[in-house]
Every structure is written in C-alpha cells, then in structure tokens.
Amino acid sequence: MNDAASAPLDHRAFLSSLPAAERAALTLRRDGPGLLRLAAHLGLIALLAWPVAAQAPLWPLFVPPLGVAMAFLFTLQHECTHQTPFRTLRLNELAGRATGFLILQPFLWFRHFHLAHHRHTNDPARDPELQGGAKPETARALALHLLGAGYWAAKLRVLLANAFGRIEGGYVPARAEGAVRREARWMLAGYAAILLYAAFVDPWPLRVWLLPLAFGFPVLRLYLLAEHARCPAAADMFDNTRTTLTNRLVRLLAWNMPYHAEHHAMPAAPFHALPALHARARAHLKRVSPGYRAFAADYAAGLSRPCVPGPDKGTGAQGGGR
C-alpha cells in the first residue's frame, strides 16, 4: 500500500493495515538502544551538574540547562510506564523509580495515571490529565500553568495523599494501593533526609537538584502542552494527539516522544522504533506542528481568540498537551 497516495486512515485502520511482521518489528524491545540513550542523557546531566556542584566560575549559567536535562527525565519515566525502553523488565522498573524520585513524581502512581490517560485521551470527563480543568486559554492561566507554585504544591499533595490519605482519581486499583502507599512513604523519607542534610550539613543538593528543576519544569510543561492541547476529544489517536517535528537534540532529550501521535497509536512501540513508525504513519497524521517554537507562537496567539478545533496538519499548533 502506498501511504502517501491513499486516503488518510484513522489510527485503528492504520494499525490494521500493517503486516504482522512489520508490527512485530516496530514493537520489538531491546536493551541496547535504551542503555545508550540513558548513558547519553545521564552524561549530559553530569556534564552540566559538575560546574554547578563545584560552584565553578559562571556556574549559575549552567543551572537552567541542567534543569531542563533533569526535568526531561520525565520522558524516560513515561516510557518506563509502558515497559518499552528496555527489554529487561527490571531495568524499566529501576529507571522509572529512580527518575520518579528525581523529578518528584511517584512512578507506580504515575503508571496508573498515565495508562488511564491513554484509555481516555482528551476525554474531559475521564482523562486524568484534564481532571484539574482544561488547558490554559488566557495569558494569566498559561503563566500560572508554566510557572505557578501550584505545580510543586500538586506534586506534594499527590505524595502526601498517596502516603497517608485517600488516593484520589479512581485510576489506582485497590490491589495496587499498598504498593503506591509504600512508594510514596519511601520517597518522602528520602526527601526529608536530603533536606535535613542540606539544612545542617551542606546545601549543595538544593543547588544541583531543586534549583535547576525550578528552571526545567516550566520548559517541560510547555513541551508537554504540545501533545494534546487544542486537540479534540476524538477516538482517533491521529486526531486527539499532536506530533511535533523537531531537531535531533530535542528528540534525544525527549526519548523521541515528539512523535506523540505515533506513540498513542502504538504504545508498545519502543522509543527507538518511533522514527520508523512516523515515516510509515506520516500521511495519516491530522495534528502535526513544524516545531515547538511554532506551536508556542500559535498557542499564544490563540489565547486572544476563541478556540475552534480543526486540523493543523503542517501549520503549527491550531488544534493539543499534557
């Protein structure tokens, strides 16, 4: 079948059109690509963290890029919820838990949250990413979304609720609540130990960890906004999710998640298979932005006008994010 010449398919019809051998190749998990990508990501963090930790000359200039590199460990944790970055399941679990601790997001809880998001993508009533309300549609709401202290407060609220209160949302099954509670309590104990060390021994963990994240999280939030913001509540993953075309550095840092419509269509495809899946699915995608700068410009422009959902194929971000 010539994809470019055929009529666009929805994601289910597209997947059905793939030969079994091709589907198997696209969902084949391997340890090697994940370990190489992890080494590159951690190497970048170490390179940026050294001058901050040592307070070398001009060290504050390294804080924002360090924060971005650390915050984008979220994309690894996200992949680990699907158990796709590595063939070895234990590696997926270890990487997911470690990154969750670093970015203040409990891994076991996030797995249930995120899988519910996949089941109900962009459904205002059932997508947990929309339970706090719609995506920001005013300049003030966008500023609060990106920079507000509410983001940190929400993380603390989830941890405290998971550890000692009622686990909210309805997406964590009763059989998993015990593990989710234990995870939250261990995380809180670890954070308490780090904060005590910083208060009474040496504050370097705050300089190398929390301070950079304060700069990195807004960039991550803007990046995530491109995934679904202003996309419709449709059943077709090629319509309710946006793919953003970007450069190799961003794809490296984000574990190929800019190919997000492809990921939603085939969540079992590892990050290293997404470029091939994109090439195969490109003619069928309904939401494609030419880059994050274009998405941000279109989104900001749309804050001053009513949102009218419609295809934004090849035109920017008229139509998706987390």
Side-chain angles (χ1 to χ4, degrees), residues 1 20 39-40 47 56 73 85 98-99 131 139 180 183 200 204 212 226 244 264 277 280 285 291-293 298 306 311:
M1 181 175 100
L47 185 66
L73 286 171
T99 53
Q131 285 183 350
V180 168
E183 175 188 48
F200 296 105
W204 75 264
T244 303
H264 267 259
L277 181 57
R280 192 72 164 81
L285 304 181
Y292 288 99
R293 183 179 299 178
D298 281 1

Side-chain angles (χ1 to χ4, degrees), residues 122 226-234 239-242 287 309 312 319-321:
N122 258 22
E227 294 178 350
H228 302 286
R230 296 192 186 145
C231 288
D239 196 19
N240 65 27
T241 305
R242 177 180 290 103
R287 308 275 162 176
D312 63 348

Side-chain angles (χ1 to χ4, degrees), residues 5-54:
S6 63
L9 304 174
D10 67 19
H11 83 277
R12 292 188 179 90
F14 167 77
L15 293 177
S16 296
S17 74
L18 295 177
E22 187 173 3
R23 290 180 62 122
L26 287 168
T27 56
L28 180 65
R29 294 178 301 170
R30 294 184 288 152
D31 285 340
L35 290 172
L36 287 174
R37 183 66 59 95
L38 180 60
H41 201 143
L42 294 182
L44 176 62
I45 290 174
L47 185 66
L48 295 168
W50 177 83
V52 177

Side-chain angles (χ1 to χ4, degrees), residues 202-219:
D202 191 325
W204 75 264
L206 304 184
R207 187 172 66 250
V208 177
W209 174 42
L210 293 183
L211 176 62
L213 282 179
F215 288 89
F217 278 150
V219 178

